Amino acid sequence: MKSGIPGFLFGMWVLILMGGWLVVTVLGPISISGFGDLDGIVNSGAKAVIAVMLVVIWVLILSTFKNWIFRKEIKS
Amino acid sequence: MLAAASSVAGFVVVLVMTPPLIRFLVKRGMQVKDVNKKGNVMIARPGGISIIVGIAVSEIILYAFLQLNEILAILITTVAAFAIGYADDRKVMGGWFKPVTLAVAAIPIILLGTYDTDLAFPLFGTVQIPVLYLALIVLVISITGNTINSIDVLNGVASGFMVIASFTLTLCLIIVQNYEIAAASLPLGFVSLAFYKYHKVPSRIFPGDSGALALGAMYGTLAIVGSVEVIAAVALLPAVINSFLFLSSVKRIVEHRQIKVRPVEHTEDFKLKATEDRTAPVTLLRLILAGRPLSEKHACFAIFRLGIFSGILAVITAFMMEIKI
């Protein structure tokens, strides 16, 4: 196993921390107004779309990382 | 003191109840083949029955004294997850059955209002997501239930991993000073520990979907009612990685039994080795075995070491919750 999978775990942890920073500093303050009573729903919808985009990026980074580690583990 | 008493009660219940349950299941022919053993070794299933009784006894004792809605939410969601798993144990359902029904099992948490819509992150503070958080609750229960179920591939892994993850979660809840939920989380570790005695290599009983979903759903509920979602996710990382690897290689939600090419094979001396078939799904176990074949016991310990590593990261994360940049 060596450092490959723990490295993957550590990488995921760092990505979670970075995701936290993005969510708190970028996603959280987003405020859309002008839709009257629907402001809350529009805000949540916009945040949901951005959150899904962030998750997709997160998954793509992890997939690349996974392929790299898997190849490394097989070679070792 | 109350937390210790309720946990010991759950521990003793599982310890005492499991041997007669094994005899009952064997007598009724409720057994499945252990695919990682030579010959036709049959193991009793589902052990989820003793797990849920242990959890119920512990949480009812706690509720009798503390009268917290959070404990009620933990109890109802866990029992619902057990019932979903038990239905799947008795009759094989489709790949979507468990994720969708587990989402329904999360509803008591919402109805009882036992959640905080502020999502806390280490170092950077909290973010308020009132509507999104409801979706998160449903997702968390579905994910935690299924990830524990998907890691249940070797003797003792699900229960042993749960011992590590749940005791870590209890420690983290103490670090963030959420003592009441820490007390409610302690029985999960003790019940898992008692079940591990019979589930470890060589298994005498398997938890089945009922046991794995109950353990996972209880863990997810604790994360929500304790407002430690991020910390709980970190402690569960090896199981999350396993689900992620499986889904990213299969690219759809399917039952493990529907996979045609198994990710793990056996050597002549019945050690586990990663398959060389490129069409087989990538799993955590396949990744661990990619380096060299291992006995089932050593493969289990490799997963437990990863659990301890992510547990340490979770504890660091809990301490980081108190630091604000």
Side-chain angles (χ1 to χ4, degrees):
Chain A
M1 185 162 63
K2 295 177 185 167
S3 62
I5 307 171
F8 189 41
L9 281 173
F10 188 77
M12 267 185 111
W13 183 62
V14 172
L15 281 173
I16 289 172
L17 295 183
M18 285 167 60
W21 171 77
L22 272 172
V23 168
V24 174
T25 58
V26 180
L27 196 62
I30 289 175
S31 178
I32 301 166
S33 56
F35 294 91
D37 292 342
L38 296 175
D39 276 358
I41 294 167
V42 172
N43 268 316
S44 291
K47 287 178 183 178
V49 170
I50 297 168
V52 168
M53 283 163 61
L54 287 173
V55 169
V56 170
I57 294 167
W58 197 66
V59 168
L60 288 175
I61 295 170
L62 278 179
S63 289
T64 312
F65 199 26
K66 171 205 77 180
N67 293 336
W68 177 71
I69 284 181
F70 197 47
R71 275 195 292 271
K72 196 174 145 222
E73 289 287 314
I74 290 170
K75 278 180 191 169
S76 66
Chain B
M1 189 66 192
L2 178 63
S6 69
S7 298
V8 168
F11 181 84
V12 171
V13 164
V14 176
L15 213 59
V16 172
M17 188 184 162
T18 307
L21 176 66
I22 294 170
R23 288 194 291 275
F24 172 78
L25 293 171
V26 170
K27 206 174 171 183
R28 295 277 302 265
M30 293 168 77
Q31 293 162 288
V32 288
K33 190 178 183 311
D34 187 341
V35 293
N36 292 319
K37 297 286 184 299
K38 262 184 189 171
N40 197 30
V41 177
M42 301 298 283
I43 309 291
R45 192 190 73 162
I49 296 166
S50 62
I51 290 174
I52 197 65
V53 174
I55 289 171
V57 166
S58 299
E59 298 297 332
I60 288 169
I61 291 172
L62 278 175
Y63 185 73
F65 286 91
L66 298 176
Q67 303 279 313
L68 289 172
N69 273 353
E70 283 79 358
I71 295 171
L72 214 50
I74 292 166
L75 190 57
I76 297 170
T77 302
T78 308
V79 170
F82 163 80
I84 291 160
Y86 191 76
D88 202 50
D89 281 332
R90 297 308 304 266
K91 187 178 185 299
V92 177
M93 304 289 189
W96 281 98
F97 173 74
K98 282 177 279 186
V100 171
T101 48
L102 276 175
V104 177
I107 290 173
I109 303 169
I110 298 170
L111 293 180
L112 288 164
T114 51
Y115 58 92
D116 182 355
T117 56
D118 287 355
L119 187 59
F121 285 95
L123 302 175
F124 308 109
T126 59
V127 62
Q128 230 194 4
I129 43 169
V131 182
L132 265 182
Y133 196 85
L134 298 179
L136 191 73
I137 292 171
V138 169
L139 266 178
V140 165
I141 301 305
S142 189
I143 289 171
T144 53
N146 279 294
T147 49
I148 296 303
N149 194 31
S150 69
I151 209 169
D152 184 27
V153 288
L154 299 176
N155 289 190
V157 163
S159 55
F161 180 77
M162 212 57 225
V163 171
I164 298 165
S166 56
F167 281 138
T168 301
L169 189 67
T170 303
L171 179 60
C172 292
L173 282 160
I174 293 168
I175 292 168
V176 299
Q177 295 165 27
N178 195 340
Y179 301 115
E180 285 173 334
I181 306 303
S185 74
L186 202 55
L188 180 59
F190 276 97
V191 164
S192 302
L193 187 63
F195 191 76
Y196 179 72
K197 178 179 162 42
Y198 306 102
H199 188 211
K200 68 183 179 189
V201 183
S203 283
R204 292 175 57 200
I205 189 167
F206 288 155
D209 287 357
S210 54
L213 293 191
L215 293 174
M218 181 171 175
Y219 184 88
T221 313
L222 286 163
I224 292 164
V225 301
S227 298
V228 285
E229 305 85 351
V230 176
I231 295 170
V234 173
L236 209 64
L237 273 182
V240 174
I241 283 177
N242 184 54
S243 295
F244 165 75
L245 292 171
F246 183 79
L247 286 174
S248 70
S249 57
V250 175
K251 296 188 170 54
R252 64 199 164 101
I253 295 178
V254 287
E255 280 284 304
H256 280 79
R257 55 180 85 91
Q258 290 175 266
I259 299 298
K260 286 176 184 142
V261 186
R262 297 188 68 84
V264 172
E265 296 171 342
H266 298 101
T267 59
E268 282 180 10
D269 56 349
F270 236 72
K271 278 186 175 175
L272 303 169
K273 68 166 190 170
T275 182
E276 287 170 14
D277 191 327
R278 285 176 172 269
T279 60
V282 180
T283 61
L284 181 66
L285 184 59
R286 188 179 171 195
L287 210 56
I288 288 169
L289 298 170
R292 65 191 169 103
L294 291 172
S295 68
E296 189 175 11
K297 191 175 177 181
H298 286 102
C300 285
F301 288 160
I303 294 174
F304 293 161
R305 280 197 294 276
L306 291 175
I308 292 168
F309 179 70
S310 58
I312 293 167
L313 291 179
V315 171
I316 295 170
T317 311
F319 280 115
M320 285 163 79
M321 286 290 181
E322 300 302 310
I323 306 165
K324 295 283 174 286
I325 294 178

